[in-house]
Amino acid sequence: MIRWNPPPPGTLKLNCDRTIMNNRLASCGGILRDSYGSFILAYAGLIGRCSVAQAELWAIYHGLRLIKDKFISSPIIIESDSSTVVSFLNEGCPRSHSCYSLLNHIVRMSGGFHKIDCSHVLREDNKVDDGFAKLGFSLPEGVHSFSSPQVGHIFFYLLISLQFFSLVDISFCILNF
């Protein structure tokens, strides 16, 4: 069974994702949880037109920016279902690549954190953050953060976006908020 795996004790996990429509309009979203699976924060937003890799990097950028804005200093594990983006974050990318500038912003910002690791996960492991990324299309442009899991429209939208998952998956998402 594929499911979300918690980080080690004392570490937080940022799962982030992006969604792109046919016209290259992108949205992003993510969720930060602790080793118990407890909700710390989430975010979603419409980010405009860009490539798939750029949209995934924007999802990571906005997640890290929100963590930094909240003065959270725990070690962070970033999980992404984009092997290209994980490779860029861990190994860099050529200066000529369209993601180079955004990647450098992320690298510079991550210098202010105690420890950050980035790893690839299967798309099936990214169900909740995929829901937040889809939620971004229903929000005004910009990235919106949620500091409480009690926001009713978040659950409503996530349940609708997760309709193709089993009831076990949906109840796992709700219980872990």
Side-chain angles (χ1 to χ4, degrees):
M1 180 172 142
I2 297 174
R3 65 180 198 87
W4 182 81
N5 292 309
T11 302
L12 302 177
K13 186 178 278 189
L14 175 66
N15 291 93
C16 32
D17 206 3
R18 50 63 190 118
T19 301
I20 297 201
M21 295 188 141
N22 293 340
N23 61 359
R24 291 184 44 171
L25 186 63
S27 65
C28 69
I31 183 168
L32 181 68
R33 293 177 275 195
D34 65 16
S35 60
Y36 299 104
S38 299
F39 178 97
I40 307 293
L41 65 85
Y43 60 97
L46 186 62
I47 53 176
R49 291 187 189 343
C50 59
S51 71
V52 172
Q54 288 168 330
E56 191 80 17
L57 285 169
W58 278 117
I60 292 166
Y61 172 83
H62 288 299
L64 290 176
R65 182 184 53 80
L66 288 167
I67 292 168
K68 192 171 189 173
D69 289 350
K70 301 263 185 211
F71 301 103
I72 296 171
S73 60
S74 300
I76 307 288
I77 295 173
I78 300 169
E79 286 189 337
S80 167
D81 61 10
S82 170
S83 58
T84 300
V85 165
V86 170
S87 175
F88 285 170
L89 287 168
N90 290 328
E91 301 165 20
C93 75
R95 278 184 165 280
S96 59
H97 197 282
S98 62
C99 292
Y100 182 79
S101 178
L102 179 54
L103 182 62
N104 274 340
H105 284 304
I106 293 169
V107 169
R108 280 195 304 271
M109 183 181 4
S110 65
F113 288 93
H114 172 67
K115 182 179 180 187
I116 295 182
D117 290 317
C118 186
S119 59
H120 179 260
V121 293
L122 297 174
R123 182 159 210 81
E124 295 84 0
D125 289 341
N126 262 10
K127 294 175 185 175
V128 175
D129 45 307
D130 182 61
F132 280 108
K134 290 176 182 170
L135 175 63
F137 282 120
S138 68
L139 299 172
E141 191 162 347
V143 175
H144 307 269
S145 65
F146 309 99
S147 57
S148 169
Q150 306 306 320
V151 181
H153 74 277
I154 294 174
F155 288 116
F156 178 74
Y157 185 83
L158 287 175
L159 286 175
I160 290 171
S161 70
L162 297 173
Q163 66 187 341
F164 57 90
F165 300 145
S166 71
L167 288 175
V168 172
D169 292 331
I170 292 171
S171 62
F172 176 78
C173 294
I174 293 171
L175 290 174
N176 283 294
F177 274 134

